[in-house]
C-alpha cells in the first residue's frame, strides 16, 4: 500500500520546490503529503520520560520533525522490549559536511539514551554504481568516512559498522534476495523515476539498503531474534525534495524505506520505524542545495576556523536589512536567515538561542553579531570533531567492523 503513495509523493516535489525559493520549506505540508507523522511535544516528552534523559536539541526544536511508527517502538520499549538502530552513509566524498553529521549526532544520542545496538551501513557499492568512482576508491572512502562516524562518539560495544562490498553475503544476502523477490520494476520506477536507461546494478541496490532493517541480516548480533524492531534515523534530503526527481541521485530517500516497510510483512519481519530530520540548508539558503562541487556551499568537518569564519561572513545568507538604520527598524527574518537556522541546529543553550532570535528579529542585534556567535559555535564543534577524529586508529575501525557478537549491546 505504501509504495502506491510513492507515485503521489513525486508530485510533492513541485510544491516544495515552489515554496523553497522564498527560503523556507513548509514542513507541515510535507508531513501531510508524505503521510508520515509529526514529532510533537508529547512524543518528545515521552522519549524523555522513558529514557530518563533530557531530550536532544534536535528533538526539542523539531529538527527531527517526522516519523513513521515511532510510537510502536516506544510502546514496546515501555513494556520492556528493546530495538536496534540502523543508519548509513554513501561514501562519495572524502570529508563530510555538517549536514552529514546530523543523523549521526541524533543516532548517538538515541543509542546512549535507549542503550540499544546500532548498525551502520556504508554503501560503497552504491557509490560505485552511481558516481564515477572506481571500486578501490569507494572502498577507501568508506573506511575514511567510518573514521568520521566513529568520531561522533559511538560505543564499540554496541555498534557494528559494515561496508556492503565486504559484508553482503550469507544471511544478509538471503534478506536481499527476499526483498528483491517482492519488488517489481514498476514499484522501482516509483522510487527512481525512469529506469530503462539506467544500469542494471542500480536495480538491485534498494534491496541492499533495505536488508539492514531486518535483524536476521546480522546473525552475529541478533540470533533467533527475528522480530526485533528497527528504528532508522535519516535526513530529510533523503526525501529528495530539492531538485527534480529524475536528476536526484540520492538513494536514501524516504521512498526507499517505504518500499522496505511494504515488503517487511510479506517476508515475515516487522516494518522498520523511521525518524526524519529537516533539511540542513546550504550556506546560501534553503532554496539551494549543498553541493560537493561548491566548497563554499557548506561547512566541512575538515575546515579550519579561518575557513569557517570566512565562509560564514561571506556566504551565509542573511536576512539583515541593507543599512543599520533600516535593520534597527525592521529587524531580521528568522524564517529564512541562515545564521539563525544554523544556530538552531548547533547552539545548545535554549535561552541564549531565544534571546538571539528575539534581539535579531526586533532589530537590536545585527547580522554581524549573529554571525560572530555562529562562527564561535561552529569552530568549537568542528575543532572538537577534528580532535576526536585524530584519535581514531585503524585498529578502532577494525573493531567497529568486526563481525563478532556484542554481548553487552543491550546493557
Ligand atoms: N544511501 C545512503 C546515502 O547515500 C546511505 C544509507 C544506507 C543510509 N542506508 C541508510 C542513510 C539508512 C540513512 C539510513 O547517504
Amino acid at each position: 500500500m505504501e509504495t502506491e503513495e510513492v507515485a503521489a509523493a513525486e508530485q510533492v516535489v513541485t510544491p516544495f520546490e515552489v515554496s523553497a525559493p522564498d527560503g523556507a520549506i513548509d514542513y507541515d505540508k510535507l508531513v501531510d503529503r508524505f503521510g508520515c507523522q509529526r514529532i510533537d511535544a508529547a512524543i518528545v516528552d515521552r522519549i524523555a520520560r522513558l529514557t530518563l534523559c533530557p531530550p536532544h536539541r534536535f528533538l526539542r526544536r523539531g529538527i527531527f520533525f517526522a516519523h513513521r511508527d515511532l510510537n510502536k517502538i516506544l510502546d514496546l520499549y515501555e513494556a520492556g522490549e528493546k530495538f536496534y538502530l540502523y543508519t548509513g552513509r554513501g561514501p562519495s566524498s572524502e570529508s563530510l559536511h555538517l549536514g552529514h553529521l546530523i543523523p549521526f549526532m541524533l543516532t548517538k544520542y538515541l543509542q546512549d539514551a535507549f542503550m540499544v545496538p546500532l548498525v551502520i551501513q556504508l554503501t560503497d557499492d552504491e557509490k560505485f554504481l552511481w558516481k564515477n568512482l572506481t571500486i578501490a576508491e569507494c572502498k577507501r572512502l568508506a573506511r575514511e568516512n567510518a573514521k568520521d562516524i566513529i568520531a561522533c562518539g559511538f560505543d564499540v560495544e554496541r555498534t557494528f559498522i559494515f561496508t556492503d562490498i565486504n559484508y553482503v553475503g550469507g544471511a544478509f544476502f538471503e534478506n536481499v534476495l527476499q526483498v528483491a523477490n517482492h519488488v517489481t520494476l514498476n514499484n522501482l520506477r516509483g522510487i527512481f523515476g525512469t529506469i530503462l536507461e539506467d544500469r542494471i546494478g542500480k536495480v538491485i541496490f534498494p534491496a541492499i539498503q533495505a536488508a539492514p532493517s531486518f535483524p536476521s541480516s546480522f546473525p552475529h548480533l541478533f540470533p533467533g531474534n527475528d522480530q526485533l524492531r528497527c528504528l532508522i534515523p535519516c535526513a530529510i534530503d533523503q526525501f529528495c525534495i530539492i531538485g527534480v526527481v529524475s536528476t536526484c541521485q540520492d538513494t536514501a530517500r524516504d521512498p526507499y524505506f517505504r518500499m522496505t516497510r511494504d515488503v517487511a510483512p510479506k517476508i515475515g519481519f516487522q516494518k522498520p520505524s523511521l525518524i526524519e530530520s529537516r533539511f540542513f540548508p546550504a550556506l546560501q539558503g534553503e532554496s539551494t542545495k549543498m553541493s560537493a562541487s561548491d566548497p563554499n556551499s557548506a561547512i566541512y568537518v575538515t575546515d579550519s576556523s579561518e575557513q569557517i569564519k570566512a565562509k560564514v561572513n561571506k556566504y551565509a545568507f542573511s536576512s539583515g536589512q541593507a543599512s543599520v538604520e533600516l535593520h534597527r527598524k525592521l529587524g531580521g527574518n528568522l524564517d529564512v536567515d541562515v545564521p539563525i537556522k544554523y544556530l538552531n541546529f548547533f547552539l545548545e543553550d535554549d535561552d541564549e538561542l531565544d534571546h538571539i532570535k528575539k534581539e535579531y528579529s526586533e532589530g537590536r542585534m545585527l547580522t554581524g553579531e549573529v554571525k560572530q556567535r555562529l562562527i564561535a559555535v561552529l569552530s568549537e564543534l568542528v575543532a572538537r570533531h577534528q580532535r576526536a577524529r585524530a584519535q581514531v586508529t585503524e585498529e578502532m575501525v577494525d573493531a567497529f567492523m568486526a563481525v563478532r557478537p556484542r554481548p553487552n549491546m543491550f546493557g
Side-chain angles (χ1 to χ4, degrees):
M1 202 173 67
E2 287 184 44
T3 35
E4 281 162 20
E5 293 166 25
V6 168
E10 286 190 358
Q11 312 300 322
V12 174
V13 171
T14 321
F16 292 104
E17 267 193 288
V18 174
S19 62
D22 336 326
I25 294 167
D26 186 338
Y27 285 98
D28 284 342
K29 244 194 244 169
L30 205 120
V31 166
D32 293 343
R33 298 292 288 272
F34 274 91
C36 39
Q37 295 143 291
R38 230 165 294 250
I39 294 188
D40 54 16
I43 203 163
V44 174
D45 287 348
R46 189 167 183 219
I47 292 172
R49 215 170 48 242
L50 289 176
T51 61
L52 305 175
C53 291
H56 193 279
R57 63 177 185 278
F58 291 168
L59 294 173
R60 298 198 300 272
R61 297 183 192 156
I63 286 172
F64 276 76
F65 73 105
H67 73 93
R68 291 179 190 275
D69 282 348
L70 181 56
N71 274 315
K72 286 199 179 140
I73 295 259
L74 299 179
D75 290 346
L76 287 165
Y77 188 83
E78 191 157 24
E81 259 182 63
K82 293 254 176 162
F83 60 93
Y84 73 102
L85 293 159
Y86 157 41
T87 191
R89 159 153 177 92
S92 56
S93 65
E94 186 89 42
S95 56
L96 283 70
H97 58 59
L98 293 181
H100 293 135
L101 288 187
I102 287 160
F104 290 107
M105 288 173 164
L106 188 84
T107 303
K108 148 85 180 146
Y109 156 83
L110 293 172
Q111 178 180 56
D112 292 347
F114 287 97
M115 302 231 275
V116 286
L118 160 67
V119 298
I120 300 176
Q121 178 178 45
L122 297 173
T123 53
D124 45 5
D125 53 347
E126 173 192 12
K127 295 305 160 184
F128 171 68
L129 292 166
W130 261 262
K131 308 274 169 179
N132 195 16
L133 298 169
T134 63
I135 287 188
E137 181 65 356
C138 292
K139 289 167 78 170
R140 187 185 72 79
L141 290 173
R143 222 178 143 85
E144 286 309 304
N145 288 182
K147 294 176 187 164
D148 282 295
I149 293 169
I150 292 168
C152 294
F154 295 108
D155 176 355
V156 69
E157 291 312 317
R158 284 182 228 281
T159 308
F160 175 52
I161 303 180
F162 63 97
T163 64
D164 287 342
I165 291 174
N166 281 334
Y167 186 70
V168 176
F172 188 102
F173 190 57
E174 288 181 28
N175 285 337
V176 173
L177 288 175
Q178 296 285 7
V179 174
N181 211 21
H182 282 84
V183 180
T184 67
L185 290 175
N186 245 329
N187 295 152
L188 212 58
R189 199 165 47 177
I191 303 172
F192 284 132
T194 342
I195 53 170
L196 286 179
E197 288 76 33
D198 259 322
R199 282 151 287 158
I200 63 170
K202 292 187 177 182
V203 172
I204 190 70
F205 179 74
I208 297 177
Q209 186 161 298
S213 314
F214 308 126
S216 66
S217 296
F218 307 101
H220 60 291
L221 298 177
F222 315 121
N225 205 350
D226 288 0
Q227 296 307 306
L228 189 66
R229 283 191 178 259
C230 172
L231 173 63
I232 307 173
C234 67
I236 199 261
D237 41 345
Q238 295 161 353
F239 274 103
C240 193
I241 51 162
I242 303 297
V244 188
V245 164
S246 60
T247 62
C248 175
Q249 305 276 297
D250 249 329
T251 45
R253 290 136 45 187
D254 186 68
Y256 278 68
F257 292 117
R258 273 200 295 233
M259 175 205 87
T260 309
R261 285 167 51 81
D262 255 1
V263 171
K266 299 180 188 157
I267 62 175
F269 294 113
Q270 301 292 335
K271 292 181 177 194
S273 299
L274 291 165
I275 174 165
E276 298 175 309
S277 76
R278 280 170 184 255
F279 180 62
F280 184 70
L283 280 170
Q284 287 76 4
E286 245 166 27
S287 46
T288 55
K289 191 169 162 52
M290 282 186 288
S291 123
S293 56
D294 179 5
N296 291 325
S297 66
I299 305 285
Y300 288 86
V301 297
T302 46
D303 284 348
S304 65
S305 46
E306 291 73 39
Q307 282 170 310
I308 294 173
K309 185 173 174 197
K311 283 187 192 182
V312 169
N313 280 332
K314 187 150 179 214
Y315 299 106
F317 175 78
S318 167
S319 66
Q321 308 295 339
S323 69
V324 174
E325 295 79 63
L326 213 55
H327 187 82
R328 297 271 182 233
K329 207 164 118 203
L330 301 174
N333 176 354
L334 301 180
D335 290 337
V336 300
D337 197 90
V338 168
I340 293 287
K341 282 179 191 287
Y342 275 33
L343 284 172
N344 194 43
F345 277 87
F346 295 116
L347 178 63
E348 179 61 33
D349 186 329
D350 291 341
D351 294 337
E352 189 188 353
L353 182 67
D354 286 346
H355 177 76
I356 292 174
K357 282 183 178 169
K358 186 165 191 311
E359 295 298 295
Y360 183 61
S361 65
E362 293 174 5
R364 284 182 298 279
M365 204 168 172
L366 299 175
T367 297
E369 298 168 284
V370 178
K371 284 189 168 181
Q372 213 179 326
R373 187 66 186 108
L374 177 65
I375 290 163
V377 169
L378 296 184
S379 300
E380 197 210 307
L381 180 112
V382 167
R384 203 181 335 124
H385 182 87
Q386 289 173 0
R387 281 195 300 275
R389 194 193 193 277
Q391 306 287 313
V392 179
T393 61
E394 295 300 329
E395 292 70 38
M396 282 162 74
V397 178
D398 291 338
F400 275 94
M401 292 190 173
V403 182
R404 56 166 175 91
R406 309 287 198 269
N408 301 316
M409 64 190 179
F410 288 113

